[in-house]
């Protein structure tokens, strides 16, 4: 297959190998994939031992020797040694010129092995010296297969049986149209219901706010009227305080009015402040007794009443006193009282 390959820039590498044949110790060949990819394809020692497989036998050695003897001197010296220079030197019994030819054949062989299945390839050759740790020359060459033919891509035979087309069982277009219209009606119904609920909530909030405002105004009017009544009572008491007969009648009327005013106050306190009727009645009892009212105003008494234990004991005493007051009425009659 080497005959089918066309090499470019390989002659320059061959020239450098012949010029530096005495310095070269190793040769490496790399495949150029991209800017950072240079996988190594092979490495060989530049010697007659490693390149022996690529050295072609020379069949004209005997004739050359006879010709050399016929030069007139008969000493059999190589007259071309001066023109060949370093190429005429020997390495393991092989001249460097033969080693250079063998190295070129080895490079072509590696390129041939890596051109299978492709039309073009790029390769890189490095020449090393010493122990193979220093590059003295590096260059690239191109290789083209002149008889390459693109393989015909054939589709593989199917290994899995294709499913049999199933009959079309999709609904009629009129069914889809009816479903779409039903969905639109449903959405419209949901939206209208939501709007109706929102309107009801707004109307209820507005109505409740109006009722609260009216109740507040009514309470304010009642408080104003009570204030006016208290002022009228005070003026009436002041005017009638100097009269004896009329003063007594005024006193009775004042008590009755105050009692009615207290009942109205209890209703107002129950409705507006949420106080229990029992608490309002207890406040009336305390206000009716000046001694009890003075005792409740005493800071020491307030401090004692703030103690939970004291309140519990006081409640127990009041309950016991109430039970003691009710005991005589509930005691069954004795023998003497029954006889009487």
């Amino acid at each position: 297959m080497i005959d089918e390959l066309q090499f470019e820039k390989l002659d320059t590498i061959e020239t450098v190998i012949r010029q530096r044949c005495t310095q070269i110790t190793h040769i490496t060949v790399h495949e150029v994939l991209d800017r950072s990819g240079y996988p190594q394809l092979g490495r060989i020692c530049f010697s007659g031992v490693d390149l022996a497989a690529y050295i072609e036998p020379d069949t004209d050695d005997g004739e050359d020797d006879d010709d050399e003897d016929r030069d007139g001197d008969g000493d059999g010296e190589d007259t071309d040694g001066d023109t060949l220079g370093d190429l005429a030197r020997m390495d393991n019994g092989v001249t460097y010129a033969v080693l250079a030819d063998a190295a070129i054949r080895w490079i072509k062989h590696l390129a041939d092995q890596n051109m299978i299945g492709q039309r073009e390839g790029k390769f890189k050759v490095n020449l090393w010296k010493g122990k193979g740790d220093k590059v003295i020359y590096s260059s690239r060459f191109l290789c083209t297969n002149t008889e390459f033919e693109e393989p015909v891509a054939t589709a593989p035979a199917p290994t899995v049986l294709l499913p049999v087309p199933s009959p079309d069982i999709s609904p009629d277009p009129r069914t889809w149209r009816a479903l779409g219209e039903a969905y639109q009606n449903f959405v419209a119904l949901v939206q209208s219901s939501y709007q109706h609920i929102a309107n009801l909530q707004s109307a209820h909030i507005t109505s409740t706010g109006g009722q609260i405002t009216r109740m507040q105004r009514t309470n304010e009017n009642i408080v104003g009227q009570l204030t006016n009544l208290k002022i009228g009572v005070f003026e009436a008491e002041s005017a009638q305080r100097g009269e004896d007969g009329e003063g007594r009648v005024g006193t009775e009327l004042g008590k009755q009015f105050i009692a009615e005013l207290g009942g109205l106050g209890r209703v107002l306190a129950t409705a507006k402040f949420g106080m229990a009727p029992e608490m309002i009645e207890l406040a009336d009892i305390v206000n009716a007794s000046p001694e009890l009212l003075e005792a409740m105003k005493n800071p020491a008494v307030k401090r004692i009443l703030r103690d939970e234990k004291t309140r519990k004991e006081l409640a127990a005493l009041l309950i016991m006193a109430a039970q003691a007051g009710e005991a005589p009425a509930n005691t069954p009659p004795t023998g003497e009282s029954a006889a009487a």
Side-chain angles (χ1 to χ4, degrees):
M1 183 179 174
I2 295 180
D3 297 336
E4 302 173 358
L5 300 180
Q6 181 179 357
F7 298 95
E8 297 181 13
K9 300 182 182 181
L10 186 59
D11 51 352
T12 303
I13 298 174
E14 182 179 359
T15 302
V16 174
I17 291 176
R18 294 180 180 277
Q19 291 176 353
R20 301 187 178 183
C21 58
T22 58
Q23 303 175 5
I24 300 173
T25 58
H26 297 83
I27 300 176
T28 57
V29 178
H30 305 261
E31 184 179 5
V32 179
L33 299 179
D34 49 25
R35 293 183 178 181
S36 59
Y38 304 100
Q40 181 174 307
L41 302 179
R43 176 186 177 93
I44 196 169
C45 180
F46 190 72
S47 65
V49 176
D50 292 351
L51 292 173
Y54 300 94
I55 296 175
E56 293 183 353
D58 189 2
T59 58
D60 298 335
D61 292 343
E63 297 178 358
D64 293 342
D65 294 341
D66 295 339
D67 294 339
E68 291 173 0
D69 293 340
R70 286 193 295 270
D71 287 340
D73 297 337
D75 52 1
E77 295 180 357
D78 188 3
T79 57
D80 295 336
D82 296 337
T83 59
L84 293 176
D86 290 336
L87 292 177
R89 296 175 58 184
M90 304 293 290
D91 178 81
N92 294 329
V94 183
T95 61
Y96 281 104
V98 175
L99 290 179
D101 293 339
I104 296 300
R105 295 190 191 96
W106 175 75
I107 294 172
K108 290 182 178 180
H109 175 73
L110 288 182
D112 179 38
Q113 295 295 322
N114 289 272
M115 283 293 293
I116 299 174
Q118 56 183 349
R119 183 185 297 276
E120 295 180 353
K122 295 182 181 180
F123 302 93
K124 180 180 179 182
V125 178
N126 291 337
L127 304 180
W128 303 77
K129 75 173 185 177
K131 296 182 179 180
D133 55 355
K134 184 177 181 181
V135 178
I136 61 175
Y137 179 75
S138 178
S139 181
R140 301 182 183 183
F141 70 92
L142 304 177
C143 183
T144 305
N145 186 358
T146 57
E147 298 184 3
F148 178 79
E149 295 181 358
E150 293 289 344
V152 179
T154 58
T159 58
V160 180
L161 296 178
L162 298 177
V164 179
S166 58
D168 188 9
I169 57 174
S170 59
D172 188 72
R174 292 176 297 178
T175 304
W176 290 113
R177 190 179 301 109
L179 288 175
E181 293 176 356
Y183 178 75
Q184 290 180 355
N185 295 334
F186 175 73
V187 172
L189 180 62
V190 172
Q191 291 179 351
S192 61
S193 301
Y194 177 78
Q195 186 65 33
H196 181 65
I197 293 173
N199 294 335
L200 289 177
Q201 290 180 349
S202 178
H204 178 69
I205 292 173
T206 303
S207 176
T208 304
Q211 291 178 3
I212 293 173
T213 302
R214 289 193 295 271
M215 289 180 63
Q216 185 176 0
R217 291 176 181 175
T218 302
N219 293 334
E220 291 177 354
N221 293 332
I222 292 173
V223 172
Q225 293 177 5
L226 290 175
T227 304
N228 294 331
L229 288 174
K230 290 182 179 180
I231 294 173
V233 170
F234 178 76
E235 291 178 353
E237 290 179 352
S238 299
Q240 295 178 1
R241 188 173 299 171
E243 299 178 359
D244 296 336
E246 296 179 356
R248 187 179 301 169
V249 176
T251 301
E252 295 296 332
L253 292 175
K255 290 182 179 180
Q256 184 177 1
F257 177 75
I258 290 173
E260 295 295 333
L261 185 61
L264 183 61
R266 286 195 294 271
V267 173
L268 179 62
T270 303
K272 186 171 184 179
F273 301 105
M275 295 179 64
E278 294 80 2
M279 296 299 297
I280 299 173
E281 185 178 358
L282 180 61
D284 293 338
I285 294 173
V286 173
N287 290 328
S289 175
E291 295 80 3
L292 186 57
L293 184 61
E294 290 296 330
M296 295 300 294
K297 291 181 179 180
N298 192 347
V301 176
K302 291 181 179 180
R303 187 167 54 254
I304 293 173
L305 291 177
R306 289 192 183 97
D307 187 9
E308 184 178 358
K309 183 178 179 181
T310 304
R311 292 197 298 270
K312 290 181 179 180
E313 293 177 353
L314 180 59
L317 290 174
L318 293 175
I319 293 173
M320 290 175 61
Q323 292 177 354
E326 294 176 357
N330 298 329
T331 301
T334 60
E336 297 178 357
S337 59

